Amino acid sequence: MDPVAVGDPACALHSEKLQLFCLEDKQPACLVCRDSEKHVSHTFRPIAEAVSSYKEELKTTLKSLQFKLTQELKTRGELEKTVQHIKFQADHTLHQLQHEFKKLHQFLRDEEEATITALREEEEQKKQMMKEKLEEMNTHILALSHTIKDTEEILKANDVCFLKEFPVSMERVQISQPDPQTPSGALIHVSRYLGNLPFRVWKKMQDIVHYTPVILDPNTANPHLVLSDDLTSLRDSFLNSKPLPDNPERFDYYSCVLGSEGLNSGKHRWDVEVKKCSIWSLGLTTASNQRKGRDFFNTGVWCVSFGLYEPSGFIVKQSLERVRVDLDCDRGTVCFSDPVTNTHLHTFTSTFPESVFPFFCSIYQLRILPFRS
């Protein structure tokens, strides 16, 4: 047996050098241990061989942990960026909210001022009319007072004078005077100002506000796309793209963006302006369709396209100004047409398996047009 070198661990039972490793007990052993009853039918390997094998196993596990740490650090970085982006979104949304409400408040203030001005003008007009009427009545009252006074003087005169003045006096007192009364329409037309006031203001507000049937969802937009503040148009900004969170909803290969609401019942229509765009695709996609990578157009898409290098859906060959989308969820049809020339382009028929979202894809400018009744 090999002597135990100074400093080397020795078998606690036999004080022999530990040269073997028991695979069942997962413990080092000496040659005497191998032949003992405790290790009957156990498998032994030289310590150097066992060390080499276990080191490789541990290195593999360590690499896995290191990879996991790298991924978690990357994910933490993405989460930190997401927190920053959430603050940016909130601040930007707040700014836009305040801007939009400022316009609405200004409209209401202008409408209030115009209505009050009209009321004051009517007040002055009616007061002036009544002033003129009062002046007229004062003149009549003065004349009547003089007539009464003169008649009373005649009644006091002697008989000869009375008889001489009687014909003239009688003629004066028989002049008919109109009975005093308030003229028609003299009062303020209160109902003109207060009647259905909120409704009338809302009707006027329609001249400054518009309804767009589809609103874009910025959380789905490819980072290269720039959406308008009102979320109704998109344009590509490949050279000036901003870093955005790589959230699961966001497109990362195609320059696409989805509408903000899924559709699963009823009829829907929206018009898209494409005249400033030489490459575009638009239509519908399922809620669960893959947005990462290059598989988006492989399934769950009903669309018309123009100028794409990888054509998808129905291919439009002529340049258009607008495209109209008519979706009937209940009948399972989506119809594309040219509203400028009233020309049908293509109709897809499908039993939509789930909610569908409008999608828009372009490297140029697309705009969803406001609804016009």
Coordinates of all heavy atoms in Angstrom, one line a residue, residues 187-237:
L187 N -89.3 90.7 -23.6 CA -88.4 90.0 -22.6 C -87.3 89.2 -23.3 O -87.3 88.9 -24.5 CB -89.3 89.1 -21.8 CG -90.5 89.7 -21.1 CD1 -91.2 88.7 -20.3 CD2 -89.9 90.8 -20.1
I188 N -86.3 88.9 -22.5 CA -85.1 88.2 -22.9 C -85.6 86.8 -23.4 O -86.4 86.1 -22.7 CB -84.1 88.0 -21.8 CG1 -83.5 89.4 -21.5 CG2 -82.9 87.1 -22.2 CD1 -82.7 90.0 -22.6
H189 N -85.1 86.3 -24.5 CA -85.4 85.0 -25.0 C -84.5 84.0 -24.3 O -83.5 83.4 -24.8 CB -85.1 84.9 -26.5 CG -85.8 83.8 -27.2 ND1 -86.1 82.6 -26.6 CD2 -86.2 83.6 -28.5 CE1 -86.7 81.8 -27.5 NE2 -86.8 82.4 -28.6
V190 N -84.9 83.7 -23.0 CA -84.1 82.8 -22.1 C -83.8 81.5 -22.7 O -82.7 80.9 -22.6 CB -84.7 82.7 -20.8 CG1 -83.9 81.8 -19.8 CG2 -84.9 84.1 -20.1
S191 N -84.8 80.8 -23.3 CA -84.6 79.5 -23.8 C -83.6 79.4 -24.9 O -83.0 78.4 -25.2 CB -86.0 78.9 -24.3 OG -86.5 79.7 -25.3
R192 N -83.4 80.5 -25.6 CA -82.4 80.5 -26.7 C -81.0 80.3 -26.2 O -80.2 79.8 -26.9 CB -82.5 81.9 -27.4 CG -81.5 82.1 -28.6 CD -81.6 83.4 -29.1 NE -82.9 83.7 -29.7 CZ -83.3 84.9 -30.0 NH1 -82.6 86.0 -29.8 NH2 -84.5 85.0 -30.6
Y193 N -80.8 80.7 -24.9 CA -79.5 80.5 -24.3 C -79.3 79.3 -23.5 O -78.3 78.7 -23.5 CB -79.1 81.8 -23.5 CG -79.3 83.1 -24.3 CD1 -80.4 83.9 -24.2 CD2 -78.3 83.5 -25.2 CE1 -80.5 85.0 -24.9 CE2 -78.4 84.6 -25.9 CZ -79.5 85.4 -25.8 OH -79.7 86.5 -26.5
L194 N -80.4 79.0 -22.7 CA -80.3 77.8 -21.8 C -80.8 76.5 -22.3 O -80.5 75.4 -21.9 CB -81.0 78.2 -20.5 CG -80.4 79.4 -19.7 CD1 -81.2 79.6 -18.4 CD2 -79.0 79.2 -19.5
G195 N -81.7 76.6 -23.3 CA -82.3 75.4 -23.8 C -81.3 74.5 -24.6 O -80.7 74.9 -25.5
N196 N -81.2 73.2 -24.1 CA -80.3 72.2 -24.7 C -78.9 72.8 -24.9 O -78.2 72.4 -25.8 CB -80.8 71.8 -26.1 CG -82.1 70.9 -26.0 OD1 -82.2 70.1 -25.1 ND2 -83.0 71.1 -26.8
L197 N -78.4 73.6 -23.9 CA -77.1 74.2 -24.0 C -76.0 73.2 -24.2 O -75.2 73.4 -25.2 CB -76.9 75.1 -22.8 CG -75.5 75.8 -22.8 CD1 -75.3 76.7 -24.0 CD2 -75.3 76.5 -21.4
P198 N -75.9 72.2 -23.4 CA -74.8 71.2 -23.6 C -74.8 70.6 -25.0 O -73.8 70.4 -25.7 CB -74.9 70.2 -22.5 CG -75.7 70.9 -21.5 CD -76.6 71.8 -22.2
F199 N -76.0 70.2 -25.5 CA -76.2 69.6 -26.8 C -75.8 70.5 -27.9 O -75.1 70.1 -28.8 CB -77.6 69.1 -26.9 CG -77.9 68.5 -28.3 CD1 -77.5 67.2 -28.6 CD2 -78.5 69.2 -29.3 CE1 -77.8 66.6 -29.8 CE2 -78.8 68.7 -30.5 CZ -78.4 67.4 -30.8
R200 N -76.2 71.8 -27.8 CA -75.9 72.7 -28.8 C -74.4 73.0 -28.9 O -73.8 73.1 -30.0 CB -76.6 74.0 -28.6 CG -78.1 73.9 -28.9 CD -78.9 75.3 -28.8 NE -79.0 75.8 -27.5 CZ -78.2 76.8 -27.0 NH1 -77.4 77.4 -27.8 NH2 -78.4 77.2 -25.8
V201 N -73.7 73.0 -27.7 CA -72.3 73.2 -27.7 C -71.6 72.0 -28.3 O -70.6 72.1 -29.1 CB -71.8 73.5 -26.3 CG1 -70.3 73.5 -26.2 CG2 -72.4 74.8 -25.8
W202 N -72.1 70.8 -28.0 CA -71.5 69.6 -28.5 C -71.7 69.5 -30.0 O -70.8 69.1 -30.7 CB -72.3 68.4 -27.9 CG -71.9 67.1 -28.5 CD1 -70.7 66.4 -28.3 CD2 -72.7 66.3 -29.4 NE1 -70.7 65.2 -29.1 CE2 -71.9 65.1 -29.7 CE3 -73.9 66.5 -30.0 CZ2 -72.4 64.2 -30.6 CZ3 -74.4 65.5 -30.9 CH2 -73.6 64.4 -31.2
K203 N -72.8 70.0 -30.5 CA -73.0 70.0 -32.0 C -72.0 70.9 -32.7 O -71.4 70.6 -33.7 CB -74.4 70.5 -32.3 CG -75.5 69.5 -32.0 CD -75.5 68.3 -33.0 CE -76.1 68.8 -34.3 NZ -76.2 67.6 -35.3
K204 N -71.7 72.1 -32.1 CA -70.7 73.0 -32.6 C -69.3 72.4 -32.5 O -68.5 72.6 -33.3 CB -70.8 74.3 -31.9 CG -72.0 75.2 -32.3 CD -71.9 76.6 -31.6 CE -73.0 77.5 -32.1 NZ -72.9 78.8 -31.5
M205 N -69.1 71.6 -31.4 CA -67.8 71.0 -31.2 C -67.4 70.1 -32.3 O -66.2 69.8 -32.6 CB -67.8 70.4 -29.8 CG -66.4 69.9 -29.4 SD -66.4 69.3 -27.7 CE -66.8 70.8 -26.7
Q206 N -68.4 69.5 -33.0 CA -68.1 68.6 -34.0 C -67.4 69.2 -35.2 O -66.8 68.5 -36.0 CB -69.4 67.9 -34.5 CG -70.1 67.0 -33.5 CD -71.3 66.4 -34.1 OE1 -71.3 65.6 -35.0 NE2 -72.5 66.7 -33.5
D207 N -67.4 70.5 -35.3 CA -66.7 71.2 -36.3 C -65.2 71.2 -36.0 O -64.4 71.4 -36.9 CB -67.1 72.7 -36.4 CG -68.6 72.7 -36.9 OD1 -69.0 71.8 -37.6 OD2 -69.3 73.7 -36.6
I208 N -64.8 71.0 -34.8 CA -63.4 71.1 -34.4 C -62.8 69.7 -34.0 O -61.6 69.5 -33.8 CB -63.1 72.1 -33.3 CG1 -63.7 71.6 -32.0 CG2 -63.5 73.5 -33.7 CD1 -63.2 72.4 -30.8
V209 N -63.7 68.7 -33.8 CA -63.2 67.4 -33.4 C -63.6 66.4 -34.4 O -64.6 66.5 -35.2 CB -63.8 67.0 -32.0 CG1 -63.3 67.9 -30.9 CG2 -65.3 66.9 -32.1
H210 N -62.8 65.3 -34.5 CA -63.0 64.3 -35.5 C -62.9 62.9 -34.9 O -62.2 62.7 -33.9 CB -62.0 64.4 -36.7 CG -62.0 65.7 -37.3 ND1 -63.0 66.1 -38.2 CD2 -61.1 66.8 -37.2 CE1 -62.7 67.4 -38.6 NE2 -61.6 67.8 -38.0
Y211 N -63.6 62.0 -35.4 CA -63.6 60.6 -34.9 C -62.8 59.7 -35.9 O -63.2 59.7 -37.1 CB -65.0 60.0 -34.8 CG -65.0 58.6 -34.4 CD1 -64.6 58.1 -33.2 CD2 -65.4 57.6 -35.4 CE1 -64.6 56.7 -32.9 CE2 -65.4 56.3 -35.1 CZ -65.0 55.8 -33.9 OH -65.0 54.5 -33.7
T212 N -61.8 59.1 -35.5 CA -61.0 58.2 -36.3 C -61.3 56.7 -35.9 O -61.1 56.4 -34.7 CB -59.5 58.4 -36.2 OG1 -59.3 59.8 -36.5 CG2 -58.8 57.6 -37.2
P213 N -61.9 55.9 -36.8 CA -62.3 54.6 -36.4 C -61.3 53.6 -35.8 O -61.6 52.7 -35.1 CB -63.0 54.0 -37.6 CG -62.4 54.8 -38.7 CD -62.1 56.1 -38.2
V214 N -60.0 53.8 -36.2 CA -58.9 53.0 -35.8 C -57.8 53.9 -35.2 O -57.4 54.8 -35.9 CB -58.4 52.1 -36.9 CG1 -57.1 51.3 -36.4 CG2 -59.4 51.1 -37.4
I215 N -57.4 53.6 -34.0 CA -56.3 54.3 -33.4 C -55.1 53.3 -33.2 O -55.3 52.1 -32.9 CB -56.7 54.8 -32.0 CG1 -57.8 55.8 -32.1 CG2 -55.5 55.5 -31.3 CD1 -57.5 57.0 -33.0
L216 N -53.9 53.8 -33.5 CA -52.7 52.9 -33.5 C -52.2 52.7 -32.1 O -52.4 53.5 -31.2 CB -51.6 53.6 -34.3 CG -51.9 53.9 -35.8 CD1 -50.7 54.6 -36.4 CD2 -52.2 52.6 -36.5
D217 N -51.7 51.5 -31.8 CA -51.1 51.1 -30.5 C -49.6 51.3 -30.5 O -48.9 50.5 -31.1 CB -51.5 49.7 -30.2 CG -51.0 49.3 -28.8 OD1 -50.4 50.1 -28.1 OD2 -51.2 48.1 -28.5
P218 N -49.1 52.3 -29.9 CA -47.6 52.6 -29.9 C -46.8 51.5 -29.3 O -45.6 51.3 -29.6 CB -47.5 53.9 -29.2 CG -48.7 54.0 -28.3 CD -49.8 53.3 -29.1
N219 N -47.4 50.7 -28.4 CA -46.7 49.6 -27.8 C -46.4 48.4 -28.7 O -45.7 47.5 -28.4 CB -47.5 49.1 -26.6 CG -47.5 50.1 -25.5 OD1 -46.7 51.0 -25.4 ND2 -48.6 50.0 -24.6
T220 N -47.0 48.4 -29.9 CA -46.8 47.4 -30.9 C -45.9 47.8 -32.0 O -45.5 47.0 -32.9 CB -48.1 46.9 -31.5 OG1 -48.7 47.9 -32.3 CG2 -49.1 46.4 -30.4
A221 N -45.6 49.1 -32.1 CA -44.9 49.7 -33.3 C -43.4 49.3 -33.3 O -42.7 49.3 -32.3 CB -45.0 51.2 -33.3
N222 N -43.0 48.9 -34.5 CA -41.5 48.7 -34.7 C -40.8 50.0 -34.3 O -41.2 51.1 -34.5 CB -41.3 48.4 -36.2 CG -39.8 48.0 -36.4 OD1 -38.9 48.9 -36.3 ND2 -39.6 46.8 -36.8
P223 N -39.6 49.8 -33.6 CA -38.9 51.0 -33.1 C -38.5 52.0 -34.2 O -38.2 53.1 -33.9 CB -37.6 50.4 -32.5 CG -38.0 49.0 -32.1 CD -39.0 48.5 -33.1
H224 N -38.5 51.5 -35.5 CA -38.2 52.5 -36.6 C -39.3 53.3 -37.0 O -39.2 54.3 -37.7 CB -37.7 51.7 -37.8 CG -36.4 50.9 -37.5 ND1 -35.4 51.4 -36.9 CD2 -36.1 49.6 -37.9 CE1 -34.4 50.4 -36.8 NE2 -34.9 49.3 -37.4
L225 N -40.5 53.0 -36.5 CA -41.7 53.8 -36.9 C -41.9 55.0 -35.9 O -41.7 54.8 -34.7 CB -43.0 52.9 -36.9 CG -43.0 51.8 -37.9 CD1 -44.3 51.0 -37.8 CD2 -43.0 52.4 -39.3
V226 N -42.4 56.1 -36.4 CA -42.7 57.2 -35.6 C -44.2 57.5 -35.8 O -44.7 57.6 -37.0 CB -42.0 58.5 -36.1 CG1 -42.4 59.7 -35.3 CG2 -40.5 58.3 -35.8
L227 N -45.0 57.5 -34.7 CA -46.4 57.7 -34.8 C -46.8 59.1 -34.5 O -46.1 59.8 -33.7 CB -47.2 56.8 -33.8 CG -46.8 55.3 -33.9 CD1 -47.8 54.5 -32.9 CD2 -47.0 54.7 -35.3
S228 N -47.8 59.6 -35.1 CA -48.2 61.0 -34.8 C -48.8 61.1 -33.4 O -49.2 60.1 -32.8 CB -49.3 61.4 -35.8 OG -50.4 60.6 -35.7
D229 N -48.9 62.3 -32.9 CA -49.3 62.5 -31.5 C -50.7 62.0 -31.3 O -51.1 61.5 -30.2 CB -49.2 63.9 -31.1 CG -47.7 64.3 -30.8 OD1 -46.9 63.5 -30.5 OD2 -47.4 65.5 -31.0
D230 N -51.6 62.1 -32.4 CA -53.0 61.6 -32.2 C -53.1 60.2 -32.6 O -54.2 59.6 -32.6 CB -53.9 62.5 -33.1 CG -53.6 62.4 -34.6 OD1 -52.6 61.6 -34.9 OD2 -54.3 63.0 -35.4
L231 N -52.0 59.5 -32.8 CA -52.0 58.0 -33.1 C -52.8 57.6 -34.3 O -53.5 56.6 -34.3 CB -52.4 57.3 -31.8 CG -51.6 57.6 -30.6 CD1 -52.2 56.8 -29.4 CD2 -50.1 57.2 -30.7
T232 N -52.8 58.4 -35.3 CA -53.6 58.1 -36.5 C -52.7 58.0 -37.8 O -53.2 57.6 -38.8 CB -54.6 59.2 -36.8 OG1 -54.0 60.4 -37.1 CG2 -55.6 59.3 -35.7
S233 N -51.4 58.2 -37.7 CA -50.5 58.1 -38.8 C -49.2 57.6 -38.4 O -48.8 57.7 -37.2 CB -50.4 59.5 -39.6 OG -49.7 60.4 -38.8
L234 N -48.4 57.1 -39.4 CA -47.1 56.5 -39.1 C -46.1 56.9 -40.2 O -46.6 57.2 -41.4 CB -47.1 55.0 -38.9 CG -47.6 54.2 -40.2 CD1 -46.3 53.8 -41.0 CD2 -48.3 53.0 -39.8
R235 N -44.9 57.0 -39.9 CA -43.8 57.2 -40.9 C -42.6 56.5 -40.4 O -42.4 56.3 -39.1 CB -43.6 58.7 -41.1 CG -43.1 59.4 -39.9 CD -42.9 60.9 -40.2 NE -42.5 61.7 -39.0 CZ -41.2 61.8 -38.5 NH1 -40.2 61.1 -39.2 NH2 -41.0 62.5 -37.5
D236 N -41.7 56.2 -41.3 CA -40.5 55.5 -40.9 C -39.4 56.5 -40.6 O -39.3 57.5 -41.2 CB -40.0 54.6 -42.0 CG -38.8 53.7 -41.6 OD1 -39.1 52.6 -41.1 OD2 -37.7 54.1 -41.8
S237 N -38.6 56.2 -39.5 CA -37.5 57.0 -39.1 C -36.3 56.1 -38.8 O -35.8 56.1 -37.7 CB -37.9 57.8 -37.9 OG -36.8 58.7 -37.6

